Amino acid sequence: MLAGIGLMPHGNPVLDPPDKETRKLAEVLKNIGKAFADVDAYVLISPHNVRMSEHLGVVMAENLISWLGFDGVELPGEWRTDRELAEEIYERARKEGFPVVDLHFASRSGEYSRWPLTWGELIPLQFLEKKPLVLLTPARNLSRETLIKFGETLGEVLEESDKSAALIVSADHGHAHDENGPYGYRRESGEYDRLIMELINEDRLEELLKIPDELIRKALPDSYWQMLIMLGVMHRVEVELKGSAYACPTYFGMAGALWVRE
Amino acid sequence: MLAGIGLMPHGNPVLDPPDKETRKLAEVLKNIGKAFADVDAYVLISPHNVRMSEHLGVVMAENLISWLGFDGVELPGEWRTDRELAEEIYERARKEGFPVVDLHFASRSGEYSRWPLTWGELIPLQFLEKKPLVLLTPARNLSRETLIKFGETLGEVLEESDKSAALIVSADHGHAHDENGPYGYRRESGEYDRLIMELINEDRLEELLKIPDELIRKALPDSYWQMLIMLGVMHRVEVELKGSAYACPTYFGMAGALWVRE
């Protein structure tokens, strides 16, 4: 059964908030951690782990190991995969014809069955109790419809499971907010981020489907594709928004939102 | 153009050979290194990196970083991906309808475009001059025909390339040679390994196709699937065997073989 959904950023500033907005954002992230402190597992979708253009990934490797921090911020730690839940998700998605791959590494089981984690997973995990994980990866070249339908299937598997699970969507938004940042300044980053926060706060996430490709392309988010999967999950489970926040202390926009099942 | 093919084991004993047979094997591996010292790139197929059941992988990540040794033997180092050649292989295979995925990690380019290496790659690489790599991963649940045809496509891409490349097939063979080993003793491991060496030495590799599933399953090799890909490459490029050796100093069989283009 799905306990709820957390949309969480993966930027270093939430670890040591430099300003009031980022502190408010970090509070929402802590509330996500509290809301889901008793679940059996997290299903974590990350855009900064394996990136396949046309295939969704389900990590099966048993041991998930910190490997790659951003900008020198290392966050050591090890987590375990909920292999049973991972297999349920993979098998259902495969049977339903989604372009999905099972991701083992080195060995199929045991101590050498390992998988590397990056800041994309490690930063959200700093706010969450240590639980077994199912790590999923989105794909940018799949159609919007496929991503939503995969989310619907994911929602069905989670609802049918005996386990209580929370869906954690790791995502940052526009990356061109600062003319001195690595992607320069583009007004579309602000436009995209304002729109995303409106859709979240006004319960209008169906309108994700109306966002033009051009705006997404220019805004440089790493949120859109996994948010479509999240929308699909929401088609299968009624959830209620309990809190949200946005901050942009550097060049990229960060959002947090907590939904719990109604 | 394909310079040749090296079949190389990935067991720690070749790094410090404990007996005469393993020393002979290490000599063959050194000869592979010498034969391919002047190529532009290696295409390396490894069974101990990402393992997907039904999809072949082409690693696109730019920086390949030592991550996981076996039994405490760490082999640090970094290599670069030949992204151009990797894209040629991926795009051709994709267009021809193979179940192939492009594997990025963390970021699509730059310093955070990284990929972890294991003993499956690192041990063969100890015998090879440092060159750009294309790392490929096999898949056990694909049909024999699909693996061979993928090899044929790979051979065509390599032959058409302006670059000189060597194909390196990382493989160990039966893993149940020792009753005290982790997989115990099965006579099929010896049977499989003897057959593989016969097929190599007698230029009868087409007979790989005749090996019964049952024998492969019981022998516990991690060689068969990437050897089918190798056979497909050999369908497109005439090569000549220049040396081979076999050793089994512990519980698994190790083979080395060097083929150069005729």
Side-chain angles (χ1 to χ4, degrees), chain A residues 21-34:
Chain A
E21 284 70 32
T22 311
R23 276 196 295 278
K24 280 188 185 174
L25 173 58
E27 280 305 309
V28 170
L29 305 182
K30 286 175 194 164
N31 288 339
I32 293 172
K34 285 178 204 159

Side-chain angles (χ1 to χ4, degrees), chain A residues 61-79:
Chain A
E62 291 179 3
N63 304 288
L64 307 167
I65 319 279
S66 174
W67 189 51
L68 184 57
F70 191 77
D71 205 13
V73 177
E74 301 305 330
L75 300 164
E78 300 197 10
W79 285 258

Side-chain angles (χ1 to χ4, degrees), chain A residues 48-55 67-71 94 101-102 104-106 108 112 114-116 118, chain B residues 48-55 67-71 94 101-102 104-108 112 114-116 118:
Chain A
H48 284 299
N49 199 273
V50 163
R51 301 172 68 148
M52 298 176 283
S53 298
E54 301 186 336
H55 292 80
W67 189 51
L68 184 57
F70 191 77
D71 205 13
R94 193 176 73 89
V101 297
D102 56 336
H104 292 268
F105 191 83
R108 298 270 301 189
Y112 293 103
R114 294 162 69 97
W115 194 266
T118 77
Chain B
H48 284 299
N49 199 272
V50 164
R51 301 172 69 147
M52 298 176 283
S53 298
E54 300 185 336
H55 292 79
W67 189 51
L68 184 57
F70 192 77
D71 205 15
R94 194 175 73 88
V101 298
D102 56 336
H104 292 267
F105 191 84
S107 288
R108 299 269 301 189
Y112 293 103
R114 293 162 69 96
W115 194 265
T118 77

